[in-house]
Amino acid sequence: MATQNTKSGGLRAAAAVGLGMAVGTLAAWAAQRPVVEALRARVERLEQRAQVQQQANLSSQQQLHWALLSKAMDDSDLAEVLDLYDASPKKRRQFLFANALYTNLLFYYRIGNMTKDEFFKRVRGMFQNPIVREYWYATQQNRASIADTEEAELGLLVDDLLRQLEEAETEEWWVVGEPPGED
């Protein structure tokens, strides 16, 4: 019987040590919880600042893009620098404007002002214009060089939509294609 008592006493002591460790761990966690929460809040603020900065950078880039395209559309000598299409001056200006329209939608999506579904629907409307379609086909090689980017993914979405629009047997273009939904 003395052996049994020693075993049960040892089990009680081990349980007490285990319980003490658990209580100690909980106490340490409770003491550090405000520090962990403060760190988590700081990380969230830093992530928000980074997102705001990224949106500001994209906005600045869009303004610069528009300024450059505007100069090229207004000055045929400058437009020749961007002439990758071997097009007439009139067609070149039209392509530059089509590029500005598409890029505007792209930036609008990238800064979070429109969903992918909205982007899809607006592009579907924009591509009813034959000049915009011609621009899109003329710039196919340019898009091939930007693989594995968000812009490339959206370009493939537009390529697929354009194929569906051309194959559609309906005049109701606004129902052609399945909007992508959100990721």
Side-chain angles (χ1 to χ4, degrees), residues 81-114:
V81 173
L82 297 174
D83 188 12
L84 305 174
Y85 325 110
D86 194 29
S88 70
K90 178 183 176 182
K91 183 65 68 178
R92 188 179 312 126
R93 280 192 309 279
Q94 290 172 333
F95 281 7
L96 291 173
F97 191 72
N99 175 270
L101 290 174
Y102 178 75
T103 303
N104 184 58
L105 286 179
L106 180 66
F107 278 124
Y108 210 63
Y109 168 76
R110 290 183 68 196
I111 63 173
N113 285 350
M114 101 177 29

mmCIF file of all heavy atoms in Angstrom, residues 81-114:
data_model
loop_
_atom_site.group_PDB
_atom_site.id
_atom_site.type_symbol
_atom_site.label_atom_id
_atom_site.label_comp_id
_atom_site.label_asym_id
_atom_site.label_seq_id
_atom_site.Cartn_x
_atom_site.Cartn_y
_atom_site.Cartn_z
ATOM 1 N N VAL A 81 6.528 58.897 -81.981
ATOM 2 C CA VAL A 81 7.351 58.127 -81.037
ATOM 3 C C VAL A 81 6.594 56.892 -80.555
ATOM 4 O O VAL A 81 7.182 55.845 -80.316
ATOM 5 C CB VAL A 81 7.767 59.010 -79.833
ATOM 6 C CG1 VAL A 81 8.476 58.199 -78.775
ATOM 7 C CG2 VAL A 81 8.622 60.178 -80.304
ATOM 8 N N LEU A 82 5.291 57.013 -80.420
ATOM 9 C CA LEU A 82 4.462 55.916 -79.929
ATOM 10 C C LEU A 82 3.852 55.074 -81.038
ATOM 11 O O LEU A 82 3.053 54.194 -80.781
ATOM 12 C CB LEU A 82 3.331 56.477 -79.054
ATOM 13 C CG LEU A 82 3.777 57.190 -77.786
ATOM 14 C CD1 LEU A 82 2.581 57.819 -77.089
ATOM 15 C CD2 LEU A 82 4.509 56.244 -76.861
ATOM 16 N N ASP A 83 4.193 55.364 -82.272
ATOM 17 C CA ASP A 83 3.579 54.661 -83.389
ATOM 18 C C ASP A 83 4.209 53.286 -83.572
ATOM 19 O O ASP A 83 5.193 53.116 -84.266
ATOM 20 C CB ASP A 83 3.688 55.478 -84.674
ATOM 21 C CG ASP A 83 2.878 54.857 -85.801
ATOM 22 O OD1 ASP A 83 2.070 53.945 -85.511
ATOM 23 O OD2 ASP A 83 3.055 55.274 -86.944
ATOM 24 N N LEU A 84 3.619 52.320 -82.908
ATOM 25 C CA LEU A 84 4.062 50.933 -83.052
ATOM 26 C C LEU A 84 3.183 50.195 -84.053
ATOM 27 O O LEU A 84 3.360 49.007 -84.279
ATOM 28 C CB LEU A 84 3.976 50.221 -81.695
ATOM 29 C CG LEU A 84 4.731 50.882 -80.540
ATOM 30 C CD1 LEU A 84 4.439 50.164 -79.246
ATOM 31 C CD2 LEU A 84 6.217 50.903 -80.818
ATOM 32 N N TYR A 85 2.233 50.897 -84.631
ATOM 33 C CA TYR A 85 1.203 50.244 -85.417
ATOM 34 C C TYR A 85 1.296 50.548 -86.910
ATOM 35 O O TYR A 85 0.495 50.034 -87.678
ATOM 36 C CB TYR A 85 -0.187 50.680 -84.919
ATOM 37 C CG TYR A 85 -0.231 50.896 -83.429
ATOM 38 C CD1 TYR A 85 -0.361 52.171 -82.905
ATOM 39 C CD2 TYR A 85 -0.115 49.828 -82.547
ATOM 40 C CE1 TYR A 85 -0.394 52.374 -81.534
ATOM 41 C CE2 TYR A 85 -0.141 50.029 -81.184
ATOM 42 C CZ TYR A 85 -0.280 51.307 -80.679
ATOM 43 O OH TYR A 85 -0.293 51.511 -79.333
ATOM 44 N N ASP A 86 2.205 51.430 -87.291
ATOM 45 C CA ASP A 86 2.320 51.852 -88.685
ATOM 46 C C ASP A 86 0.960 52.327 -89.193
ATOM 47 O O ASP A 86 0.420 51.819 -90.169
ATOM 48 C CB ASP A 86 2.871 50.714 -89.547
ATOM 49 C CG ASP A 86 3.315 51.221 -90.923
ATOM 50 O OD1 ASP A 86 3.709 52.403 -91.024
ATOM 51 O OD2 ASP A 86 3.248 50.441 -91.886
ATOM 52 N N ALA A 87 0.415 53.311 -88.472
ATOM 53 C CA ALA A 87 -0.926 53.802 -88.767
ATOM 54 C C ALA A 87 -0.872 55.254 -89.227
ATOM 55 O O ALA A 87 0.110 55.956 -88.985
ATOM 56 C CB ALA A 87 -1.785 53.692 -87.513
ATOM 57 N N SER A 88 -1.948 55.686 -89.847
ATOM 58 C CA SER A 88 -2.064 57.089 -90.255
ATOM 59 C C SER A 88 -2.119 57.958 -88.996
ATOM 60 O O SER A 88 -2.442 57.468 -87.905
ATOM 61 C CB SER A 88 -3.343 57.274 -91.068
ATOM 62 O OG SER A 88 -4.472 57.141 -90.226
ATOM 63 N N PRO A 89 -1.826 59.249 -89.128
ATOM 64 C CA PRO A 89 -1.902 60.131 -87.950
ATOM 65 C C PRO A 89 -3.279 60.086 -87.269
ATOM 66 O O PRO A 89 -3.364 60.073 -86.045
ATOM 67 C CB PRO A 89 -1.607 61.520 -88.530
ATOM 68 C CG PRO A 89 -0.731 61.241 -89.708
ATOM 69 C CD PRO A 89 -1.274 59.956 -90.287
ATOM 70 N N LYS A 90 -4.343 60.044 -88.066
ATOM 71 C CA LYS A 90 -5.683 59.975 -87.487
ATOM 72 C C LYS A 90 -5.861 58.678 -86.696
ATOM 73 O O LYS A 90 -6.334 58.694 -85.554
ATOM 74 C CB LYS A 90 -6.737 60.064 -88.593
ATOM 75 C CG LYS A 90 -8.157 59.946 -88.076
ATOM 76 C CD LYS A 90 -9.156 59.977 -89.212
ATOM 77 C CE LYS A 90 -10.567 59.756 -88.691
ATOM 78 N NZ LYS A 90 -11.556 59.740 -89.748
ATOM 79 N N LYS A 91 -5.492 57.557 -87.297
ATOM 80 C CA LYS A 91 -5.640 56.251 -86.635
ATOM 81 C C LYS A 91 -4.759 56.187 -85.384
ATOM 82 O O LYS A 91 -5.163 55.665 -84.347
ATOM 83 C CB LYS A 91 -5.280 55.126 -87.609
ATOM 84 C CG LYS A 91 -5.471 53.734 -87.055
ATOM 85 C CD LYS A 91 -6.904 53.408 -86.759
ATOM 86 C CE LYS A 91 -7.706 53.307 -88.025
ATOM 87 N NZ LYS A 91 -9.108 52.932 -87.782
ATOM 88 N N ARG A 92 -3.555 56.762 -85.463
ATOM 89 C CA ARG A 92 -2.643 56.788 -84.319
ATOM 90 C C ARG A 92 -3.293 57.523 -83.144
ATOM 91 O O ARG A 92 -3.269 57.051 -82.011
ATOM 92 C CB ARG A 92 -1.332 57.454 -84.721
ATOM 93 C CG ARG A 92 -0.258 57.377 -83.679
ATOM 94 C CD ARG A 92 1.038 58.044 -84.128
ATOM 95 N NE ARG A 92 1.447 57.648 -85.453
ATOM 96 C CZ ARG A 92 1.708 58.505 -86.444
ATOM 97 N NH1 ARG A 92 1.627 59.804 -86.264
ATOM 98 N NH2 ARG A 92 2.073 58.070 -87.637
ATOM 99 N N ARG A 93 -3.895 58.689 -83.407
ATOM 100 C CA ARG A 93 -4.565 59.442 -82.339
ATOM 101 C C ARG A 93 -5.735 58.636 -81.777
ATOM 102 O O ARG A 93 -5.968 58.630 -80.569
ATOM 103 C CB ARG A 93 -5.048 60.797 -82.854
ATOM 104 C CG ARG A 93 -3.953 61.839 -82.924
ATOM 105 C CD ARG A 93 -4.477 63.244 -83.163
ATOM 106 N NE ARG A 93 -5.388 63.377 -84.298
ATOM 107 C CZ ARG A 93 -5.006 63.476 -85.570
ATOM 108 N NH1 ARG A 93 -3.708 63.484 -85.865
ATOM 109 N NH2 ARG A 93 -5.894 63.592 -86.528
ATOM 110 N N GLN A 94 -6.461 57.963 -82.629
ATOM 111 C CA GLN A 94 -7.580 57.135 -82.165
ATOM 112 C C GLN A 94 -7.075 56.000 -81.275
ATOM 113 O O GLN A 94 -7.661 55.712 -80.229
ATOM 114 C CB GLN A 94 -8.362 56.576 -83.352
ATOM 115 C CG GLN A 94 -9.134 57.635 -84.107
ATOM 116 C CD GLN A 94 -9.760 57.106 -85.389
ATOM 117 O OE1 GLN A 94 -9.268 56.150 -86.003
ATOM 118 N NE2 GLN A 94 -10.839 57.732 -85.809
ATOM 119 N N PHE A 95 -5.990 55.363 -81.683
ATOM 120 C CA PHE A 95 -5.421 54.287 -80.876
ATOM 121 C C PHE A 95 -4.916 54.816 -79.538
ATOM 122 O O PHE A 95 -5.072 54.166 -78.502
ATOM 123 C CB PHE A 95 -4.286 53.589 -81.625
ATOM 124 C CG PHE A 95 -4.740 52.591 -82.662
ATOM 125 C CD1 PHE A 95 -6.065 52.432 -83.005
ATOM 126 C CD2 PHE A 95 -3.801 51.804 -83.305
ATOM 127 C CE1 PHE A 95 -6.468 51.507 -83.965
ATOM 128 C CE2 PHE A 95 -4.183 50.872 -84.264
ATOM 129 C CZ PHE A 95 -5.520 50.723 -84.594
ATOM 130 N N LEU A 96 -4.286 55.983 -79.553
ATOM 131 C CA LEU A 96 -3.808 56.565 -78.302
ATOM 132 C C LEU A 96 -4.970 56.859 -77.366
ATOM 133 O O LEU A 96 -4.887 56.635 -76.157
ATOM 134 C CB LEU A 96 -2.995 57.834 -78.568
ATOM 135 C CG LEU A 96 -1.653 57.617 -79.259
ATOM 136 C CD1 LEU A 96 -1.021 58.964 -79.623
ATOM 137 C CD2 LEU A 96 -0.713 56.798 -78.400
ATOM 138 N N PHE A 97 -6.063 57.339 -77.927
ATOM 139 C CA PHE A 97 -7.236 57.613 -77.098
ATOM 140 C C PHE A 97 -7.853 56.308 -76.596
ATOM 141 O O PHE A 97 -8.268 56.223 -75.436
ATOM 142 C CB PHE A 97 -8.265 58.449 -77.855
ATOM 143 C CG PHE A 97 -9.343 58.963 -76.958
ATOM 144 C CD1 PHE A 97 -9.083 59.966 -76.039
ATOM 145 C CD2 PHE A 97 -10.625 58.430 -77.017
ATOM 146 C CE1 PHE A 97 -10.078 60.435 -75.187
ATOM 147 C CE2 PHE A 97 -11.621 58.894 -76.169
ATOM 148 C CZ PHE A 97 -11.354 59.898 -75.256
ATOM 149 N N ALA A 98 -7.908 55.291 -77.433
ATOM 150 C CA ALA A 98 -8.413 53.980 -76.995
ATOM 151 C C ALA A 98 -7.536 53.442 -75.867
ATOM 152 O O ALA A 98 -8.051 52.893 -74.881
ATOM 153 C CB ALA A 98 -8.443 52.997 -78.162
ATOM 154 N N ASN A 99 -6.233 53.641 -75.993
ATOM 155 C CA ASN A 99 -5.314 53.233 -74.931
ATOM 156 C C ASN A 99 -5.619 53.993 -73.646
ATOM 157 O O ASN A 99 -5.632 53.405 -72.558
ATOM 158 C CB ASN A 99 -3.865 53.471 -75.355
ATOM 159 C CG ASN A 99 -2.894 53.168 -74.239
ATOM 160 O OD1 ASN A 99 -2.566 54.044 -73.454
ATOM 161 N ND2 ASN A 99 -2.455 51.921 -74.173
ATOM 162 N N ALA A 100 -5.874 55.285 -73.757
ATOM 163 C CA ALA A 100 -6.192 56.092 -72.577
ATOM 164 C C ALA A 100 -7.484 55.608 -71.918
ATOM 165 O O ALA A 100 -7.567 55.512 -70.688
ATOM 166 C CB ALA A 100 -6.308 57.566 -72.955
ATOM 167 N N LEU A 101 -8.495 55.284 -72.717
ATOM 168 C CA LEU A 101 -9.756 54.787 -72.164
ATOM 169 C C LEU A 101 -9.561 53.464 -71.430
ATOM 170 O O LEU A 101 -10.044 53.278 -70.315
ATOM 171 C CB LEU A 101 -10.790 54.611 -73.280
ATOM 172 C CG LEU A 101 -11.351 55.872 -73.913
ATOM 173 C CD1 LEU A 101 -12.255 55.516 -75.092
ATOM 174 C CD2 LEU A 101 -12.100 56.703 -72.893
ATOM 175 N N TYR A 102 -8.856 52.538 -72.088
ATOM 176 C CA TYR A 102 -8.634 51.230 -71.465
ATOM 177 C C TYR A 102 -7.776 51.364 -70.205
ATOM 178 O O TYR A 102 -8.085 50.773 -69.169
ATOM 179 C CB TYR A 102 -7.979 50.257 -72.456
ATOM 180 C CG TYR A 102 -7.693 48.925 -71.807
ATOM 181 C CD1 TYR A 102 -8.725 48.029 -71.551
ATOM 182 C CD2 TYR A 102 -6.411 48.583 -71.400
ATOM 183 C CE1 TYR A 102 -8.486 46.823 -70.921
ATOM 184 C CE2 TYR A 102 -6.161 47.377 -70.765
ATOM 185 C CZ TYR A 102 -7.206 46.497 -70.526
ATOM 186 O OH TYR A 102 -6.972 45.315 -69.887
ATOM 187 N N THR A 103 -6.721 52.151 -70.286
ATOM 188 C CA THR A 103 -5.834 52.328 -69.137
ATOM 189 C C THR A 103 -6.567 52.975 -67.977
ATOM 190 O O THR A 103 -6.329 52.641 -66.816
ATOM 191 C CB THR A 103 -4.597 53.149 -69.534
ATOM 192 O OG1 THR A 103 -3.939 52.487 -70.618
ATOM 193 C CG2 THR A 103 -3.624 53.291 -68.387
ATOM 194 N N ASN A 104 -7.476 53.885 -68.277
ATOM 195 C CA ASN A 104 -8.275 54.498 -67.225
ATOM 196 C C ASN A 104 -9.092 53.442 -66.490
ATOM 197 O O ASN A 104 -9.131 53.430 -65.257
ATOM 198 C CB ASN A 104 -9.187 55.576 -67.811
ATOM 199 C CG ASN A 104 -9.955 56.297 -66.743
ATOM 200 O OD1 ASN A 104 -9.379 56.878 -65.833
ATOM 201 N ND2 ASN A 104 -11.271 56.256 -66.841
ATOM 202 N N LEU A 105 -9.735 52.547 -67.242
ATOM 203 C CA LEU A 105 -10.483 51.462 -66.603
ATOM 204 C C LEU A 105 -9.558 50.563 -65.781
ATOM 205 O O LEU A 105 -9.901 50.147 -64.675
ATOM 206 C CB LEU A 105 -11.216 50.617 -67.648
ATOM 207 C CG LEU A 105 -12.449 51.220 -68.295
ATOM 208 C CD1 LEU A 105 -13.026 50.253 -69.318
ATOM 209 C CD2 LEU A 105 -13.490 51.579 -67.258
ATOM 210 N N LEU A 106 -8.405 50.263 -66.340
ATOM 211 C CA LEU A 106 -7.439 49.410 -65.655
ATOM 212 C C LEU A 106 -7.005 50.027 -64.323
ATOM 213 O O LEU A 106 -7.020 49.362 -63.279
ATOM 214 C CB LEU A 106 -6.222 49.187 -66.558
ATOM 215 C CG LEU A 106 -5.109 48.319 -66.026
ATOM 216 C CD1 LEU A 106 -5.582 46.888 -65.868
ATOM 217 C CD2 LEU A 106 -3.913 48.382 -66.968
ATOM 218 N N PHE A 107 -6.636 51.299 -64.332
ATOM 219 C CA PHE A 107 -6.227 51.973 -63.098
ATOM 220 C C PHE A 107 -7.389 52.066 -62.119
ATOM 221 O O PHE A 107 -7.214 51.888 -60.915
ATOM 222 C CB PHE A 107 -5.683 53.370 -63.385
ATOM 223 C CG PHE A 107 -4.248 53.386 -63.831
ATOM 224 C CD1 PHE A 107 -3.894 53.979 -65.031
ATOM 225 C CD2 PHE A 107 -3.245 52.822 -63.062
ATOM 226 C CE1 PHE A 107 -2.577 54.008 -65.455
ATOM 227 C CE2 PHE A 107 -1.930 52.830 -63.473
ATOM 228 C CZ PHE A 107 -1.588 53.426 -64.663
ATOM 229 N N TYR A 108 -8.560 52.361 -62.622
ATOM 230 C CA TYR A 108 -9.746 52.470 -61.779
ATOM 231 C C TYR A 108 -9.971 51.152 -61.036
ATOM 232 O O TYR A 108 -10.283 51.142 -59.848
ATOM 233 C CB TYR A 108 -10.942 52.828 -62.654
ATOM 234 C CG TYR A 108 -12.004 53.644 -61.966
ATOM 235 C CD1 TYR A 108 -11.742 54.918 -61.484
ATOM 236 C CD2 TYR A 108 -13.287 53.142 -61.808
ATOM 237 C CE1 TYR A 108 -12.725 55.665 -60.864
ATOM 238 C CE2 TYR A 108 -14.281 53.881 -61.193
ATOM 239 C CZ TYR A 108 -13.993 55.137 -60.725
ATOM 240 O OH TYR A 108 -14.980 55.864 -60.108
ATOM 241 N N TYR A 109 -9.791 50.042 -61.729
ATOM 242 C CA TYR A 109 -9.908 48.733 -61.099
ATOM 243 C C TYR A 109 -8.778 48.509 -60.090
ATOM 244 O O TYR A 109 -9.014 48.076 -58.963
ATOM 245 C CB TYR A 109 -9.893 47.625 -62.162
ATOM 246 C CG TYR A 109 -9.718 46.255 -61.567
ATOM 247 C CD1 TYR A 109 -10.772 45.613 -60.922
ATOM 248 C CD2 TYR A 109 -8.488 45.605 -61.607
ATOM 249 C CE1 TYR A 109 -10.608 44.371 -60.349
ATOM 250 C CE2 TYR A 109 -8.324 44.358 -61.040
ATOM 251 C CZ TYR A 109 -9.386 43.740 -60.410
ATOM 252 O OH TYR A 109 -9.214 42.519 -59.830
ATOM 253 N N ARG A 110 -7.566 48.828 -60.486
ATOM 254 C CA ARG A 110 -6.408 48.547 -59.627
ATOM 255 C C ARG A 110 -6.418 49.321 -58.319
ATOM 256 O O ARG A 110 -5.893 48.841 -57.322
ATOM 257 C CB ARG A 110 -5.112 48.804 -60.392
ATOM 258 C CG ARG A 110 -4.897 47.759 -61.485
ATOM 259 C CD ARG A 110 -3.597 47.936 -62.199
ATOM 260 N NE ARG A 110 -2.494 47.644 -61.306
ATOM 261 C CZ ARG A 110 -1.245 47.997 -61.543
ATOM 262 N NH1 ARG A 110 -0.944 48.657 -62.640
ATOM 263 N NH2 ARG A 110 -0.290 47.696 -60.693
ATOM 264 N N ILE A 111 -6.997 50.527 -58.307
ATOM 265 C CA ILE A 111 -7.036 51.263 -57.046
ATOM 266 C C ILE A 111 -8.262 50.905 -56.213
ATOM 267 O O ILE A 111 -8.460 51.438 -55.132
ATOM 268 C CB ILE A 111 -6.944 52.799 -57.238
ATOM 269 C CG1 ILE A 111 -8.125 53.349 -58.006
ATOM 270 C CG2 ILE A 111 -5.629 53.188 -57.865
ATOM 271 C CD1 ILE A 111 -8.160 54.867 -58.077
ATOM 272 N N GLY A 112 -9.079 50.004 -56.715
ATOM 273 C CA GLY A 112 -10.204 49.516 -55.934
ATOM 274 C C GLY A 112 -11.487 50.304 -56.106
ATOM 275 O O GLY A 112 -12.423 50.127 -55.325
ATOM 276 N N ASN A 113 -11.562 51.149 -57.120
ATOM 277 C CA ASN A 113 -12.770 51.932 -57.338
ATOM 278 C C ASN A 113 -13.802 51.196 -58.177
ATOM 279 O O ASN A 113 -14.882 51.729 -58.409
ATOM 280 C CB ASN A 113 -12.438 53.273 -58.006
ATOM 281 C CG ASN A 113 -11.823 54.243 -57.020
ATOM 282 O OD1 ASN A 113 -11.812 54.013 -55.823
ATOM 283 N ND2 ASN A 113 -11.305 55.332 -57.527
ATOM 284 N N MET A 114 -13.463 50.010 -58.650
ATOM 285 C CA MET A 114 -14.435 49.197 -59.372
ATOM 286 C C MET A 114 -14.040 47.730 -59.172
ATOM 287 O O MET A 114 -12.872 47.401 -59.016
ATOM 288 C CB MET A 114 -14.516 49.612 -60.847
ATOM 289 C CG MET A 114 -13.808 48.763 -61.823
ATOM 290 S SD MET A 114 -13.969 49.185 -63.582
ATOM 291 C CE MET A 114 -14.209 50.906 -63.660
#
